[in-house]
Amino acid sequence: MRIFCFSPFGYEGNLVTVEVDLRRGIPAVDIVGLADNAVKESRERMKSAIINSGLLFPPERVLISLSPADLKKEGAGFDLAIALAVLSAKENLENEDSAFQMEPILVIGELELNGNIRPVKAIHAAAATAYASGIRYCIVPAANAEEAREIRTMKIFGAENLTEAFNALKNTESFSDYKTSHIEEENVNTIKDAVEINGILFPPEEFEFKEICGQQELVRGLQIAAAGKHNLLAFGPPGCGKTLSLQRFPALVPLLTKEESQSVTRIYSIAGILQAGTRIIKKAPFRQPHQTSTIEGMCGGGIHCSPGEISLAHNGTLFLDEAAEFRTSVLQILRVPLETGVVTLSRAGRSTIFPANFQLLMSMNPCPCGNYGSKEKLCLCSARSVEQYWKKISAPLLDRIDLSIQVEKVSIENSNSSQSISTSELRKEIAAAIKIQRKRGKRNSRLSPSEIKEFCQMNSEAKKILDEATETYEFSPRSVSSCIKIARTISDMKEENIIGKNSMEEAVKFKKPAGTMNLLA
C-alpha cells in the first residue's frame, strides 16, 4: 500500500509519497526528503501519539522517506501520514498476509500527543490533487471531512483519532463519498432561502436597495456592473452614500456555478480560512481590504506563496473603499490581473499561478478634503493637490474601469424614496442578462475584440453616438471597447439582440469623464 500526503505551495501543491523502512540498529527515527522543522518535529508527535493510543511503536530503527526528495516538505499535515505508514510497515513486517494491501491512499492531518487529530488547511486542494492523480481513498481529520467529500466519487474517512484512522486502513467499507453521506439536491448552488429568478439563483436578500434614497444613478450603475461584471468607480463627497451602496453590492451578485465554486473553495482551503464544516463556497466572495494593505497582502506571497486579496476575490468582488488612500504601488499591481485574470507568484526558484478573475469596485472622495464641487462646503485644496490626489489612481488603471459615477450628496428633504428600486426588482434584469451571457460562455466585461465583433452588433444610430462620443471625449481604444461592452450588457438586460440608441447613450454616460476626472485629461 502506498501512502501519500500533500505539501501545500501556491495554488497547485504537490503530492508526497511517504515510505517507511524498518531495519536492525539502535532504535531511532530518521526523516529524509528535505523536510522543514515542522515536519522533522513530527517524529516526536507521531511516536507519542502511537504509544498514547495504545498501539505498539516498532522497536527497530525507523527510516522515513518523503519523496520527491528535491521538493521541500512544509507544514504539520504530515503527522498522520507518517504515523500510519510506520504502523502499516510494522504490521506488514510481522505478517506478510496482512490486510494492508488496499489501493493508494491520501492521508493528511496533524496529531496531538494523545492521538487525537487536529484539522489542517488545504484539505480541498489535497483531495482534488489526489483525485486528479488517480487516488480514490482519503483519510482526513473529522473536522475536514465535509470539505474533502465535495470532491465527488472520492472515498473519504474522517478520523477523530489515530486509532480510528489505523482501523480504517483495514476496512474500505468505512469510507464514504458525497452521495452516501448527503441526502440533498445535486445542485451545489442550492442553499437555504436562495432566490431563483429566471433560472438564476441569488443569495437571500440581506440588503435592501430601496433604503438607498436619491442615488438612482449609482444604483443603476451597480445593477449594470452586476449584470455584466464590469469594474466600477464611485466618487463623491463624504456622507453621500457611496460606501453604503457599494457594500450592498453582494445582494445583486448571483450564486456561483459549480465550476466557479470549486476554484473559490480551493483558494480558501489553501489560505486556511474555510469555515469548519463548509463543503463548498456558494456565495461569490466580497473582499474589502484595509487601506494599509501591502503588495504581498494584495497579490499574495510569503513563505508558502499564500493567496492575496485579489485571489481571495476570485469569481467575486474586490472593493477598495477610499481607493486613493492605498499605496500607489498596490493599486498598480491590479492592472495585469484585471487584464489576464491570473496572478503569478515566485519564491525560491518556484512559481505558482493563482486565479484572480475578480470584479473591482472603488470609491473615493473627489479631493483630499472631500469638498471639491460641493455646493454646501468650501474646498481648501489647491488644483495641484487635487490633481496629485487623482493621479494616485493612474490613467491606465482608470482606463480599465468601465463605469465611472459621480455621486452627489442628497439631503433628506430632497430624497424621494418612491423612486428607489427594490433589490428583487433590480435582480430581474440582472438575471436576464446573466442567463444570456452564460449561454455565450463569457461575461460581457471579458469579451475579446473578436467576440465584441461577433456579439456586439449595433444599429446605425448607436454607432453614430459612439463615434461622436469618441471624438468629443477622446476615448482610447480600450474606452471604446468598454462603451460597447456596457451597451451590450444594457441590451442584454432588456433582452435585445441589437445594441440600440438608448443603450449606447446610457453606456457613454457612464464611461465619459465627469467632474474631477477631467483633471487627468
Side-chain angles (χ1 to χ4, degrees), residues 130 132 141 178 207 231 251 298 406 409 450 479:
Y178 177 90
F207 305 108
N231 302 321
M298 190 67 71
Q406 185 168 8
K409 194 170 184 178
S450 60
S479 297

Side-chain angles (χ1 to χ4, degrees), residues 172 421 493:
T172 58
I421 305 177
M493 294 166 68

Side-chain angles (χ1 to χ4, degrees), residues 300-443:
I303 297 176
H304 304 291
C305 274
S306 302
E309 289 293 338
I310 60 177
S311 294
L312 294 173
H314 175 60
N315 288 332
T317 305
L318 179 67
F319 174 38
L320 303 185
D321 191 20
E322 300 298 339
E325 301 301 325
F326 284 80
R327 302 177 189 179
T328 303
S329 58
V330 170
L331 295 174
Q332 294 312 306
I333 65 170
L334 299 176
R335 289 162 54 181
V336 173
L338 280 173
E339 197 74 22
T340 63
V342 298
V343 58
T344 303
L345 306 177
S346 299
R347 183 185 74 86
R350 300 175 63 187
S351 63
T352 184
I353 299 177
F354 274 103
N357 183 16
F358 63 95
Q359 179 177 8
L360 180 63
L361 300 184
M362 296 195 299
S363 69
M364 57 186 293
N365 293 330
C367 68
C369 74
N371 297 326
Y372 185 90
S374 175
K375 299 177 181 178
E376 302 174 355
K377 297 182 179 180
L378 179 65
C379 175
L380 302 178
C381 303
S382 65
R384 173 72 175 172
S385 64
V386 176
E387 182 180 4
Q388 291 298 321
Y389 178 80
W390 272 87
K391 281 190 174 180
K392 290 183 178 180
I393 316 294
S394 66
L397 179 58
L398 284 174
D399 211 21
R400 289 168 170 80
I401 305 298
D402 294 334
L403 304 167
S404 300
I405 304 172
Q406 185 168 8
V407 186
E408 302 290 345
K409 194 170 184 178
V410 180
S411 62
I412 299 177
E413 294 79 11
N414 295 332
S415 62
N416 188 354
S417 59
S418 62
Q419 296 181 358
S420 301
I421 305 177
S422 65
T423 301
S424 59
E425 289 297 320
L426 292 171
R427 285 176 169 180
K428 291 180 181 179
E429 289 188 336
I430 294 173
I434 292 176
K435 186 174 183 179
I436 293 173
Q437 292 168 59
R438 286 182 177 176
K439 289 182 179 178
R440 294 194 193 116
K442 185 176 285 190
R443 300 297 293 273

Side-chain angles (χ1 to χ4, degrees), residues 137-267:
Y137 290 88
C138 181
I139 296 179
V140 299
N144 299 121
E146 296 302 300
E147 179 184 344
R149 285 196 182 98
E150 189 56 37
I151 308 301
R152 306 303 174 89
T153 72
M154 190 80 167
K155 300 292 185 179
I156 306 297
F157 181 81
E160 294 280 357
N161 52 60
L162 178 58
T163 303
E164 289 184 2
F166 183 55
N167 292 333
L169 289 179
K170 305 177 183 179
N171 182 16
T172 58
E173 295 180 359
S174 58
F175 290 74
S176 62
D177 59 11
Y178 177 90
K179 293 182 179 179
T180 57
S181 60
H182 297 83
I183 304 176
E184 58 178 284
E185 295 184 24
E186 183 66 18
N187 189 345
V188 299
N189 283 330
T190 54
I191 63 174
K192 185 178 179 181
D193 300 327
V195 180
E196 183 177 356
I197 301 176
N198 198 15
I200 305 297
L201 291 170
F202 289 86
E205 293 186 13
E206 300 176 359
F207 305 108
E208 180 52 68
F209 275 86
K210 202 170 183 62
E211 298 172 356
I212 301 176
C213 302
Q215 299 295 353
Q216 285 77 22
E217 184 178 354
L218 177 58
V219 173
R220 174 61 173 172
L222 291 174
Q223 184 188 29
I224 296 171
K229 205 172 183 179
H230 299 285
N231 302 321
L232 179 145
L233 168 65
F235 59 97
C240 64
K242 57 185 183 297
T243 300
L244 173 67
S245 302
L246 267 62
Q247 286 178 334
R248 299 192 176 197
F249 185 73
L252 303 180
V253 180
L255 297 178
L256 300 174
T257 63
K258 181 179 178 181
E259 293 74 17
E260 293 171 340
S261 297
Q262 292 291 343
S263 58
V264 172
T265 305
R266 183 182 181 108
I267 293 172

Side-chain angles (χ1 to χ4, degrees), residues 71 93 120 164 170 198 250 270 277 292 297 312 402 421 432 449 454 464 476 496 501:
L71 175 70
L93 183 65
V120 295
E164 289 184 2
K170 305 177 183 179
N198 198 15
I270 291 169
T292 57
L312 294 173
D402 294 334
I421 305 177
E454 180 181 357
K464 181 180 179 182
S476 66
E496 298 175 348
K501 174 184 175 182

